[in-house]
Amino acid sequence: MDELGIVSSIDDLKGFVREIQDFPKKGINFKDITPLLANPKAFAFSIDSLVNKYLNENIDYVVCIEARGFVIGSALAYRLGAGVILIRKPGKLPYECSSLNYDLEYGSATLEIHKDALKKGDRVIVADDVLATGGTALATIDLVKGFGANVADTVFLAELSFLNGRDKLKPYTINSLMKFDY
Ligand code: AMP
């Protein structure tokens, strides 16, 4: 074993997720994936494990959700020979955008995508770091569907099972590496 350690199982990988209590607000147990990203073996294991499912799936684009989804999604896209499409918060994308407002637990939020980002029949996967309530991923799926593109799968490093995001995303399927029930 070298100084980076061995990463050969999901349990090993979970050791690279740091829990931050009460961030960004009281009552949230935030799953900080930056230690996982910083470890070359943990990051490679994550991307290799997630990408296998799509190697023969003819994915055109990975649609990546700001901001940690950019990291996961672009690594997957590179391995798949697919393009990267960015979903961003309002005012960040420079060209004309399609926007979608959606409800959060408290309040609402807006996501944007360039209006020429996709076309009818494109086959995409949607990527983010963590699936929590599923609201953000569902809004992203709705933006993608607005182009007539097809969502082949949604992919996450971690899924917070107790928040039931999986139910919210039905009938879309979910590929998540680590499940947390706390
Ligand atoms: P969601 O509730 O699924 O719409 O999650 C909204 C966004 O916040 C997603 O992009 C997640 O990455 C992030 N997020 C929500 N809850 C957590 C958490 N407990 N730990 C880390 N990231 C979170």
Side-chain angles (χ1 to χ4, degrees):
M1 181 158 134
D2 61 29
E3 74 277 7
L4 292 173
I6 292 172
V7 183
S8 59
S9 72
I10 301 303
D11 276 344
D12 292 342
L13 203 60
K14 282 185 167 180
F16 292 91
V17 178
R18 179 166 53 194
E19 315 252 338
I20 312 281
Q21 300 298 334
D22 298 322
F23 180 89
K25 56 186 180 189
K26 204 161 175 50
I28 305 284
N29 174 14
F30 193 85
K31 302 290 187 293
D32 175 19
I33 60 149
T34 60
L36 182 155
L37 299 178
N39 184 287
K41 290 187 176 175
F43 186 52
F45 180 84
S46 301
I47 298 301
D48 290 347
S49 303
L50 289 170
V51 84
N52 277 331
K53 190 174 172 189
Y54 314 110
L55 289 176
N56 298 308
E57 284 289 320
N58 297 317
I59 302 299
D60 297 304
Y61 298 102
V62 182
V63 176
C64 309
I65 300 174
E66 182 172 353
R68 293 175 299 273
F70 294 173
V71 181
I72 312 304
S74 55
L76 292 171
Y78 181 75
R79 287 285 310 275
L80 293 172
V84 172
I85 303 295
L86 304 185
I87 298 286
R88 299 209 66 179
K89 290 166 188 147
K92 299 286 188 185
L93 289 169
Y95 186 56
E96 290 174 57
C97 289
S98 302
S99 303
L100 195 130
N101 194 261
Y102 66 103
D103 290 331
L104 294 172
E105 206 171 344
Y106 301 101
S108 68
T110 302
L111 292 177
E112 295 190 338
I113 184 171
H114 273 154
K115 71 169 195 183
D116 62 351
L118 296 168
K119 60 187 183 311
K120 192 171 188 314
D122 281 337
R123 192 164 156 76
V124 315
I125 55 176
V126 168
D128 202 356
D129 64 331
V130 173
L131 173 65
T133 65
T136 307
L138 188 61
T140 300
I141 289 170
D142 285 344
L143 281 170
V144 168
K145 279 177 14 191
F147 292 86
N150 300 316
V151 177
D153 210 4
T154 63
V155 49
F156 305 90
L157 277 182
E159 173 179 356
L160 309 184
S161 319
F162 59 98
L163 294 176
N164 302 317
R166 187 169 279 270
D167 292 339
K168 189 176 247 173
L169 294 191
K170 272 181 188 158
Y172 295 94
T173 50
I174 291 160
N175 180 15
S176 69
L177 212 46
M178 295 173 278
K179 277 125 184 128
F180 292 93
D181 54 11
Y182 50 90

PDB file of all heavy atoms in Angstrom, residues 23-24 28-33 65-69 102-105 128-138 156 160 162-163 165 168, ligand 1:
ATOM      1  N   PHE A  23     -23.984  22.646   7.641  1.00  0.00           N
ATOM      2  CA  PHE A  23     -23.527  23.428   6.487  1.00  0.00           C
ATOM      3  C   PHE A  23     -24.416  23.092   5.292  1.00  0.00           C
ATOM      4  O   PHE A  23     -24.685  21.911   5.044  1.00  0.00           O
ATOM      5  CB  PHE A  23     -22.061  23.101   6.153  1.00  0.00           C
ATOM      6  CG  PHE A  23     -21.551  23.889   4.964  1.00  0.00           C
ATOM      7  CD1 PHE A  23     -20.981  25.138   5.146  1.00  0.00           C
ATOM      8  CD2 PHE A  23     -21.680  23.395   3.662  1.00  0.00           C
ATOM      9  CE1 PHE A  23     -20.534  25.879   4.055  1.00  0.00           C
ATOM     10  CE2 PHE A  23     -21.233  24.138   2.564  1.00  0.00           C
ATOM     11  CZ  PHE A  23     -20.663  25.376   2.769  1.00  0.00           C
ATOM     12  N   PRO A  24     -24.862  24.055   4.496  1.00  0.00           N
ATOM     13  CA  PRO A  24     -24.678  25.503   4.651  1.00  0.00           C
ATOM     14  C   PRO A  24     -25.641  26.125   5.641  1.00  0.00           C
ATOM     15  O   PRO A  24     -25.555  27.327   5.889  1.00  0.00           O
ATOM     16  CB  PRO A  24     -24.944  26.038   3.233  1.00  0.00           C
ATOM     17  CG  PRO A  24     -25.899  25.047   2.645  1.00  0.00           C
ATOM     18  CD  PRO A  24     -25.573  23.719   3.254  1.00  0.00           C
ATOM     19  N   ILE A  28     -28.466  20.568   8.245  1.00  0.00           N
ATOM     20  CA  ILE A  28     -27.967  19.857   7.052  1.00  0.00           C
ATOM     21  C   ILE A  28     -26.655  19.159   7.392  1.00  0.00           C
ATOM     22  O   ILE A  28     -25.742  19.760   7.950  1.00  0.00           O
ATOM     23  CB  ILE A  28     -27.709  20.835   5.864  1.00  0.00           C
ATOM     24  CG1 ILE A  28     -28.962  21.653   5.535  1.00  0.00           C
ATOM     25  CG2 ILE A  28     -27.180  20.075   4.647  1.00  0.00           C
ATOM     26  CD1 ILE A  28     -30.036  20.926   4.790  1.00  0.00           C
ATOM     27  N   ASN A  29     -26.604  17.865   7.067  1.00  0.00           N
ATOM     28  CA  ASN A  29     -25.357  17.098   7.209  1.00  0.00           C
ATOM     29  C   ASN A  29     -24.739  17.050   5.813  1.00  0.00           C
ATOM     30  O   ASN A  29     -25.089  16.199   5.004  1.00  0.00           O
ATOM     31  CB  ASN A  29     -25.703  15.700   7.736  1.00  0.00           C
ATOM     32  CG  ASN A  29     -24.495  14.792   7.785  1.00  0.00           C
ATOM     33  OD1 ASN A  29     -23.355  15.234   7.669  1.00  0.00           O
ATOM     34  ND2 ASN A  29     -24.742  13.506   7.951  1.00  0.00           N
ATOM     35  N   PHE A  30     -23.836  17.976   5.541  1.00  0.00           N
ATOM     36  CA  PHE A  30     -23.306  18.161   4.187  1.00  0.00           C
ATOM     37  C   PHE A  30     -22.253  17.102   3.869  1.00  0.00           C
ATOM     38  O   PHE A  30     -21.327  16.865   4.643  1.00  0.00           O
ATOM     39  CB  PHE A  30     -22.691  19.565   4.052  1.00  0.00           C
ATOM     40  CG  PHE A  30     -22.398  19.956   2.632  1.00  0.00           C
ATOM     41  CD1 PHE A  30     -23.375  20.510   1.828  1.00  0.00           C
ATOM     42  CD2 PHE A  30     -21.130  19.762   2.090  1.00  0.00           C
ATOM     43  CE1 PHE A  30     -23.112  20.865   0.508  1.00  0.00           C
ATOM     44  CE2 PHE A  30     -20.845  20.119   0.774  1.00  0.00           C
ATOM     45  CZ  PHE A  30     -21.837  20.668  -0.015  1.00  0.00           C
ATOM     46  N   LYS A  31     -22.404  16.463   2.716  1.00  0.00           N
ATOM     47  CA  LYS A  31     -21.431  15.453   2.265  1.00  0.00           C
ATOM     48  C   LYS A  31     -20.394  16.165   1.398  1.00  0.00           C
ATOM     49  O   LYS A  31     -20.677  16.517   0.251  1.00  0.00           O
ATOM     50  CB  LYS A  31     -22.135  14.358   1.464  1.00  0.00           C
ATOM     51  CG  LYS A  31     -23.241  13.636   2.230  1.00  0.00           C
ATOM     52  CD  LYS A  31     -22.683  12.766   3.327  1.00  0.00           C
ATOM     53  CE  LYS A  31     -23.730  11.906   3.996  1.00  0.00           C
ATOM     54  NZ  LYS A  31     -24.731  12.629   4.776  1.00  0.00           N
ATOM     55  N   ASP A  32     -19.219  16.371   1.966  1.00  0.00           N
ATOM     56  CA  ASP A  32     -18.147  17.081   1.272  1.00  0.00           C
ATOM     57  C   ASP A  32     -17.287  16.078   0.507  1.00  0.00           C
ATOM     58  O   ASP A  32     -16.574  15.259   1.098  1.00  0.00           O
ATOM     59  CB  ASP A  32     -17.306  17.834   2.321  1.00  0.00           C
ATOM     60  CG  ASP A  32     -16.099  18.513   1.717  1.00  0.00           C
ATOM     61  OD1 ASP A  32     -16.071  18.721   0.484  1.00  0.00           O
ATOM     62  OD2 ASP A  32     -15.163  18.832   2.490  1.00  0.00           O
ATOM     63  N   ILE A  33     -17.369  16.165  -0.822  1.00  0.00           N
ATOM     64  CA  ILE A  33     -16.634  15.193  -1.656  1.00  0.00           C
ATOM     65  C   ILE A  33     -15.247  15.693  -2.072  1.00  0.00           C
ATOM     66  O   ILE A  33     -14.563  15.015  -2.836  1.00  0.00           O
ATOM     67  CB  ILE A  33     -17.434  14.815  -2.918  1.00  0.00           C
ATOM     68  CG1 ILE A  33     -17.698  16.066  -3.778  1.00  0.00           C
ATOM     69  CG2 ILE A  33     -18.731  14.100  -2.561  1.00  0.00           C
ATOM     70  CD1 ILE A  33     -17.762  15.780  -5.254  1.00  0.00           C
ATOM     71  N   ILE A  65     -24.428  19.469 -13.787  1.00  0.00           N
ATOM     72  CA  ILE A  65     -25.087  20.463 -12.936  1.00  0.00           C
ATOM     73  C   ILE A  65     -24.047  21.222 -12.109  1.00  0.00           C
ATOM     74  O   ILE A  65     -23.211  20.618 -11.435  1.00  0.00           O
ATOM     75  CB  ILE A  65     -26.113  19.772 -12.007  1.00  0.00           C
ATOM     76  CG1 ILE A  65     -27.182  19.036 -12.839  1.00  0.00           C
ATOM     77  CG2 ILE A  65     -26.743  20.792 -11.069  1.00  0.00           C
ATOM     78  CD1 ILE A  65     -28.162  18.206 -12.028  1.00  0.00           C
ATOM     79  N   GLU A  66     -24.146  22.576 -12.163  1.00  0.00           N
ATOM     80  CA  GLU A  66     -23.224  23.441 -11.418  1.00  0.00           C
ATOM     81  C   GLU A  66     -23.228  23.079  -9.938  1.00  0.00           C
ATOM     82  O   GLU A  66     -24.298  22.897  -9.380  1.00  0.00           O
ATOM     83  CB  GLU A  66     -23.649  24.909 -11.605  1.00  0.00           C
ATOM     84  CG  GLU A  66     -22.722  25.880 -10.895  1.00  0.00           C
ATOM     85  CD  GLU A  66     -23.026  27.351 -11.239  1.00  0.00           C
ATOM     86  OE1 GLU A  66     -23.857  27.618 -12.120  1.00  0.00           O
ATOM     87  OE2 GLU A  66     -22.396  28.199 -10.607  1.00  0.00           O
ATOM     88  N   ALA A  67     -22.116  23.068  -9.288  1.00  0.00           N
ATOM     89  CA  ALA A  67     -20.769  23.209  -9.792  1.00  0.00           C
ATOM     90  C   ALA A  67     -19.990  21.897  -9.688  1.00  0.00           C
ATOM     91  O   ALA A  67     -19.189  21.568 -10.553  1.00  0.00           O
ATOM     92  CB  ALA A  67     -20.027  24.267  -8.976  1.00  0.00           C
ATOM     93  N   ARG A  68     -20.267  21.118  -8.634  1.00  0.00           N
ATOM     94  CA  ARG A  68     -19.478  19.879  -8.483  1.00  0.00           C
ATOM     95  C   ARG A  68     -19.839  18.862  -9.559  1.00  0.00           C
ATOM     96  O   ARG A  68     -19.031  17.986  -9.892  1.00  0.00           O
ATOM     97  CB  ARG A  68     -19.658  19.311  -7.070  1.00  0.00           C
ATOM     98  CG  ARG A  68     -19.044  20.207  -5.998  1.00  0.00           C
ATOM     99  CD  ARG A  68     -19.344  19.691  -4.596  1.00  0.00           C
ATOM    100  NE  ARG A  68     -20.762  19.653  -4.301  1.00  0.00           N
ATOM    101  CZ  ARG A  68     -21.462  20.677  -3.816  1.00  0.00           C
ATOM    102  NH1 ARG A  68     -20.877  21.823  -3.550  1.00  0.00           N
ATOM    103  NH2 ARG A  68     -22.756  20.575  -3.600  1.00  0.00           N
ATOM    104  N   GLY A  69     -21.036  19.002 -10.136  1.00  0.00           N
ATOM    105  CA  GLY A  69     -21.413  18.124 -11.235  1.00  0.00           C
ATOM    106  C   GLY A  69     -20.525  18.318 -12.459  1.00  0.00           C
ATOM    107  O   GLY A  69     -20.375  17.406 -13.281  1.00  0.00           O
ATOM    108  N   TYR A 102     -37.772  26.266 -10.205  1.00  0.00           N
ATOM    109  CA  TYR A 102     -38.305  25.082  -9.523  1.00  0.00           C
ATOM    110  C   TYR A 102     -38.294  25.302  -8.021  1.00  0.00           C
ATOM    111  O   TYR A 102     -37.544  26.138  -7.509  1.00  0.00           O
ATOM    112  CB  TYR A 102     -37.513  23.829  -9.916  1.00  0.00           C
ATOM    113  CG  TYR A 102     -36.075  23.813  -9.458  1.00  0.00           C
ATOM    114  CD1 TYR A 102     -35.672  23.054  -8.361  1.00  0.00           C
ATOM    115  CD2 TYR A 102     -35.111  24.563 -10.129  1.00  0.00           C
ATOM    116  CE1 TYR A 102     -34.355  23.038  -7.940  1.00  0.00           C
ATOM    117  CE2 TYR A 102     -33.786  24.559  -9.712  1.00  0.00           C
ATOM    118  CZ  TYR A 102     -33.424  23.787  -8.620  1.00  0.00           C
ATOM    119  OH  TYR A 102     -32.118  23.790  -8.198  1.00  0.00           O
ATOM    120  N   ASP A 103     -39.142  24.524  -7.330  1.00  0.00           N
ATOM    121  CA  ASP A 103     -39.293  24.688  -5.882  1.00  0.00           C
ATOM    122  C   ASP A 103     -38.221  23.942  -5.122  1.00  0.00           C
ATOM    123  O   ASP A 103     -37.871  22.804  -5.456  1.00  0.00           O
ATOM    124  CB  ASP A 103     -40.673  24.165  -5.439  1.00  0.00           C
ATOM    125  CG  ASP A 103     -41.791  25.070  -5.940  1.00  0.00           C
ATOM    126  OD1 ASP A 103     -41.533  26.284  -6.111  1.00  0.00           O
ATOM    127  OD2 ASP A 103     -42.895  24.554  -6.170  1.00  0.00           O
ATOM    128  N   LEU A 104     -37.688  24.594  -4.099  1.00  0.00           N
ATOM    129  CA  LEU A 104     -36.795  23.923  -3.148  1.00  0.00           C
ATOM    130  C   LEU A 104     -37.601  23.654  -1.883  1.00  0.00           C
ATOM    131  O   LEU A 104     -38.771  24.037  -1.789  1.00  0.00           O
ATOM    132  CB  LEU A 104     -35.613  24.833  -2.800  1.00  0.00           C
ATOM    133  CG  LEU A 104     -34.641  25.152  -3.932  1.00  0.00           C
ATOM    134  CD1 LEU A 104     -33.650  26.200  -3.481  1.00  0.00           C
ATOM    135  CD2 LEU A 104     -33.904  23.882  -4.342  1.00  0.00           C
ATOM    136  N   GLU A 105     -36.959  23.032  -0.893  1.00  0.00           N
ATOM    137  CA  GLU A 105     -37.655  22.763   0.368  1.00  0.00           C
ATOM    138  C   GLU A 105     -38.222  24.079   0.936  1.00  0.00           C
ATOM    139  O   GLU A 105     -39.358  24.148   1.363  1.00  0.00           O
ATOM    140  CB  GLU A 105     -36.658  22.136   1.342  1.00  0.00           C
ATOM    141  CG  GLU A 105     -37.318  21.267   2.370  1.00  0.00           C
ATOM    142  CD  GLU A 105     -36.276  20.511   3.169  1.00  0.00           C
ATOM    143  OE1 GLU A 105     -35.110  20.448   2.726  1.00  0.00           O
ATOM    144  OE2 GLU A 105     -36.651  19.995   4.234  1.00  0.00           O
ATOM    145  N   ASP A 128     -24.410  14.821 -11.419  1.00  0.00           N
ATOM    146  CA  ASP A 128     -24.164  15.721 -10.291  1.00  0.00           C
ATOM    147  C   ASP A 128     -23.403  14.934  -9.223  1.00  0.00           C
ATOM    148  O   ASP A 128     -23.253  13.711  -9.333  1.00  0.00           O
ATOM    149  CB  ASP A 128     -25.485  16.278  -9.752  1.00  0.00           C
ATOM    150  CG  ASP A 128     -25.290  17.584  -8.981  1.00  0.00           C
ATOM    151  OD1 ASP A 128     -24.132  18.024  -8.802  1.00  0.00           O
ATOM    152  OD2 ASP A 128     -26.294  18.172  -8.550  1.00  0.00           O
ATOM    153  N   ASP A 129     -22.953  15.639  -8.190  1.00  0.00           N
ATOM    154  CA  ASP A 129     -22.200  14.920  -7.162  1.00  0.00           C
ATOM    155  C   ASP A 129     -23.130  14.171  -6.212  1.00  0.00           C
ATOM    156  O   ASP A 129     -22.919  13.005  -5.911  1.00  0.00           O
ATOM    157  CB  ASP A 129     -21.258  15.866  -6.389  1.00  0.00           C
ATOM    158  CG  ASP A 129     -21.990  16.932  -5.601  1.00  0.00           C
ATOM    159  OD1 ASP A 129     -23.100  17.334  -6.013  1.00  0.00           O
ATOM    160  OD2 ASP A 129     -21.450  17.370  -4.563  1.00  0.00           O
ATOM    161  N   VAL A 130     -24.188  14.873  -5.746  1.00  0.00           N
ATOM    162  CA  VAL A 130     -25.049  14.292  -4.710  1.00  0.00           C
ATOM    163  C   VAL A 130     -26.517  14.394  -5.138  1.00  0.00           C
ATOM    164  O   VAL A 130     -26.970  15.467  -5.553  1.00  0.00           O
ATOM    165  CB  VAL A 130     -24.853  15.048  -3.363  1.00  0.00           C
ATOM    166  CG1 VAL A 130     -25.856  14.578  -2.324  1.00  0.00           C
ATOM    167  CG2 VAL A 130     -23.426  14.868  -2.841  1.00  0.00           C
ATOM    168  N   LEU A 131     -27.242  13.279  -5.021  1.00  0.00           N
ATOM    169  CA  LEU A 131     -28.694  13.306  -5.178  1.00  0.00           C
ATOM    170  C   LEU A 131     -29.286  13.470  -3.782  1.00  0.00           C
ATOM    171  O   LEU A 131     -29.142  12.576  -2.944  1.00  0.00           O
ATOM    172  CB  LEU A 131     -29.199  12.008  -5.817  1.00  0.00           C
ATOM    173  CG  LEU A 131     -30.723  11.856  -5.887  1.00  0.00           C
ATOM    174  CD1 LEU A 131     -31.349  12.912  -6.796  1.00  0.00           C
ATOM    175  CD2 LEU A 131     -31.113  10.455  -6.358  1.00  0.00           C
ATOM    176  N   ALA A 132     -29.929  14.627  -3.540  1.00  0.00           N
ATOM    177  CA  ALA A 132     -30.576  14.859  -2.240  1.00  0.00           C
ATOM    178  C   ALA A 132     -32.079  14.707  -2.439  1.00  0.00           C
ATOM    179  O   ALA A 132     -32.555  13.589  -2.623  1.00  0.00           O
ATOM    180  CB  ALA A 132     -30.153  16.220  -1.694  1.00  0.00           C
ATOM    181  N   THR A 133     -32.827  15.798  -2.489  1.00  0.00           N
ATOM    182  CA  THR A 133     -34.288  15.668  -2.698  1.00  0.00           C
ATOM    183  C   THR A 133     -34.644  15.354  -4.151  1.00  0.00           C
ATOM    184  O   THR A 133     -35.756  14.943  -4.452  1.00  0.00           O
ATOM    185  CB  THR A 133     -35.020  16.973  -2.323  1.00  0.00           C
ATOM    186  OG1 THR A 133     -34.614  18.001  -3.235  1.00  0.00           O
ATOM    187  CG2 THR A 133     -34.696  17.402  -0.897  1.00  0.00           C
ATOM    188  N   GLY A 134     -33.719  15.625  -5.060  1.00  0.00           N
ATOM    189  CA  GLY A 134     -33.957  15.336  -6.477  1.00  0.00           C
ATOM    190  C   GLY A 134     -34.519  16.518  -7.253  1.00  0.00           C
ATOM    191  O   GLY A 134     -34.658  16.444  -8.483  1.00  0.00           O
ATOM    192  N   GLY A 135     -34.811  17.619  -6.573  1.00  0.00           N
ATOM    193  CA  GLY A 135     -35.412  18.774  -7.249  1.00  0.00           C
ATOM    194  C   GLY A 135     -34.519  19.344  -8.348  1.00  0.00           C
ATOM    195  O   GLY A 135     -34.997  19.687  -9.433  1.00  0.00           O
ATOM    196  N   THR A 136     -33.227  19.432  -8.056  1.00  0.00           N
ATOM    197  CA  THR A 136     -32.288  20.007  -9.028  1.00  0.00           C
ATOM    198  C   THR A 136     -32.154  19.105 -10.247  1.00  0.00           C
ATOM    199  O   THR A 136     -32.148  19.576 -11.390  1.00  0.00           O
ATOM    200  CB  THR A 136     -30.915  20.209  -8.349  1.00  0.00           C
ATOM    201  OG1 THR A 136     -31.110  20.970  -7.159  1.00  0.00           O
ATOM    202  CG2 THR A 136     -29.945  20.931  -9.264  1.00  0.00           C
ATOM    203  N   ALA A 137     -32.045  17.812 -10.013  1.00  0.00           N
ATOM    204  CA  ALA A 137     -31.912  16.866 -11.128  1.00  0.00           C
ATOM    205  C   ALA A 137     -33.195  16.845 -11.960  1.00  0.00           C
ATOM    206  O   ALA A 137     -33.140  16.792 -13.200  1.00  0.00           O
ATOM    207  CB  ALA A 137     -31.593  15.468 -10.594  1.00  0.00           C
ATOM    208  N   LEU A 138     -34.346  16.922 -11.295  1.00  0.00           N
ATOM    209  CA  LEU A 138     -35.610  16.901 -12.030  1.00  0.00           C
ATOM    210  C   LEU A 138     -35.750  18.155 -12.902  1.00  0.00           C
ATOM    211  O   LEU A 138     -36.177  18.064 -14.064  1.00  0.00           O
ATOM    212  CB  LEU A 138     -36.792  16.801 -11.057  1.00  0.00           C
ATOM    213  CG  LEU A 138     -38.150  16.587 -11.711  1.00  0.00           C
ATOM    214  CD1 LEU A 138     -38.181  15.284 -12.497  1.00  0.00           C
ATOM    215  CD2 LEU A 138     -39.262  16.610 -10.676  1.00  0.00           C
ATOM    216  N   PHE A 156     -24.769   9.925 -10.153  1.00  0.00           N
ATOM    217  CA  PHE A 156     -24.333  10.670  -8.964  1.00  0.00           C
ATOM    218  C   PHE A 156     -23.244   9.888  -8.236  1.00  0.00           C
ATOM    219  O   PHE A 156     -23.279   8.654  -8.203  1.00  0.00           O
ATOM    220  CB  PHE A 156     -25.499  10.852  -7.984  1.00  0.00           C
ATOM    221  CG  PHE A 156     -26.706  11.500  -8.593  1.00  0.00           C
ATOM    222  CD1 PHE A 156     -27.701  10.727  -9.192  1.00  0.00           C
ATOM    223  CD2 PHE A 156     -26.857  12.882  -8.589  1.00  0.00           C
ATOM    224  CE1 PHE A 156     -28.821  11.314  -9.772  1.00  0.00           C
ATOM    225  CE2 PHE A 156     -27.978  13.474  -9.170  1.00  0.00           C
ATOM    226  CZ  PHE A 156     -28.952  12.700  -9.760  1.00  0.00           C
ATOM    227  N   LEU A 160     -28.499  10.434  -1.125  1.00  0.00           N
ATOM    228  CA  LEU A 160     -28.988  10.503   0.259  1.00  0.00           C
ATOM    229  C   LEU A 160     -30.356   9.823   0.272  1.00  0.00           C
ATOM    230  O   LEU A 160     -31.392  10.450   0.037  1.00  0.00           O
ATOM    231  CB  LEU A 160     -29.065  11.958   0.723  1.00  0.00           C
ATOM    232  CG  LEU A 160     -27.788  12.794   0.509  1.00  0.00           C
ATOM    233  CD1 LEU A 160     -27.930  14.192   1.103  1.00  0.00           C
ATOM    234  CD2 LEU A 160     -26.562  12.091   1.104  1.00  0.00           C
ATOM    235  N   PHE A 162     -32.471   8.688   2.309  1.00  0.00           N
ATOM    236  CA  PHE A 162     -33.570   9.062   3.212  1.00  0.00           C
ATOM    237  C   PHE A 162     -34.365  10.268   2.697  1.00  0.00           C
ATOM    238  O   PHE A 162     -35.431  10.574   3.215  1.00  0.00           O
ATOM    239  CB  PHE A 162     -33.033   9.346   4.624  1.00  0.00           C
ATOM    240  CG  PHE A 162     -32.010  10.455   4.666  1.00  0.00           C
ATOM    241  CD1 PHE A 162     -32.371  11.741   5.018  1.00  0.00           C
ATOM    242  CD2 PHE A 162     -30.682  10.201   4.353  1.00  0.00           C
ATOM    243  CE1 PHE A 162     -31.433  12.765   5.048  1.00  0.00           C
ATOM    244  CE2 PHE A 162     -29.732  11.221   4.377  1.00  0.00           C
ATOM    245  CZ  PHE A 162     -30.109  12.499   4.721  1.00  0.00           C
ATOM    246  N   LEU A 163     -33.860  10.957   1.688  1.00  0.00           N
ATOM    247  CA  LEU A 163     -34.582  12.112   1.128  1.00  0.00           C
ATOM    248  C   LEU A 163     -35.452  11.731  -0.077  1.00  0.00           C
ATOM    249  O   LEU A 163     -36.166  12.567  -0.627  1.00  0.00           O
ATOM    250  CB  LEU A 163     -33.586  13.219   0.735  1.00  0.00           C
ATOM    251  CG  LEU A 163     -32.852  13.861   1.916  1.00  0.00           C
ATOM    252  CD1 LEU A 163     -31.815  14.860   1.429  1.00  0.00           C
ATOM    253  CD2 LEU A 163     -33.837  14.548   2.862  1.00  0.00           C
ATOM    254  N   GLY A 165     -35.078  11.111  -3.197  1.00  0.00           N
ATOM    255  CA  GLY A 165     -34.917  11.727  -4.514  1.00  0.00           C
ATOM    256  C   GLY A 165     -35.204  10.734  -5.632  1.00  0.00           C
ATOM    257  O   GLY A 165     -35.680  11.093  -6.707  1.00  0.00           O
ATOM    258  N   LYS A 168     -38.729  10.867  -6.662  1.00  0.00           N
ATOM    259  CA  LYS A 168     -39.054  12.093  -7.398  1.00  0.00           C
ATOM    260  C   LYS A 168     -38.627  11.990  -8.866  1.00  0.00           C
ATOM    261  O   LYS A 168     -39.266  12.549  -9.743  1.00  0.00           O
ATOM    262  CB  LYS A 168     -38.354  13.284  -6.744  1.00  0.00           C
ATOM    263  CG  LYS A 168     -38.798  14.606  -7.298  1.00  0.00           C
ATOM    264  CD  LYS A 168     -38.155  15.752  -6.562  1.00  0.00           C
ATOM    265  CE  LYS A 168     -39.187  16.529  -5.789  1.00  0.00           C
ATOM    266  NZ  LYS A 168     -38.652  17.535  -4.930  1.00  0.00           N
TER     267      LYS A 168
HETATM  268  P1  AMP B   1     -31.441  18.411  -4.388  1.00  0.00           P
HETATM  269  O1  AMP B   1     -32.106  18.511  -3.053  1.00  0.00           O
HETATM  270  O2  AMP B   1     -31.314  16.980  -4.850  1.00  0.00           O
HETATM  271  O3  AMP B   1     -32.073  19.303  -5.406  1.00  0.00           O
HETATM  272  O4  AMP B   1     -29.948  18.920  -4.177  1.00  0.00           O
HETATM  273  C1  AMP B   1     -29.567  20.209  -4.542  1.00  0.00           C
HETATM  274  C2  AMP B   1     -28.085  20.329  -4.752  1.00  0.00           C
HETATM  275  O5  AMP B   1     -27.476  20.504  -3.495  1.00  0.00           O
HETATM  276  C3  AMP B   1     -27.409  19.157  -5.435  1.00  0.00           C
HETATM  277  O6  AMP B   1     -26.604  19.686  -6.481  1.00  0.00           O
HETATM  278  C4  AMP B   1     -26.559  18.520  -4.368  1.00  0.00           C
HETATM  279  O7  AMP B   1     -25.259  18.312  -4.875  1.00  0.00           O
HETATM  280  C5  AMP B   1     -26.504  19.528  -3.244  1.00  0.00           C
HETATM  281  N1  AMP B   1     -26.785  18.949  -1.939  1.00  0.00           N
HETATM  282  C6  AMP B   1     -28.001  18.894  -1.334  1.00  0.00           C
HETATM  283  N2  AMP B   1     -27.914  18.337  -0.115  1.00  0.00           N
HETATM  284  C7  AMP B   1     -26.605  18.030   0.056  1.00  0.00           C
HETATM  285  C8  AMP B   1     -25.867  17.427   1.116  1.00  0.00           C
HETATM  286  N3  AMP B   1     -26.448  17.018   2.259  1.00  0.00           N
HETATM  287  N4  AMP B   1     -24.540  17.261   0.948  1.00  0.00           N
HETATM  288  C9  AMP B   1     -23.936  17.669  -0.190  1.00  0.00           C
HETATM  289  N5  AMP B   1     -24.569  18.241  -1.211  1.00  0.00           N
HETATM  290  C10 AMP B   1     -25.898  18.428  -1.098  1.00  0.00           C
END
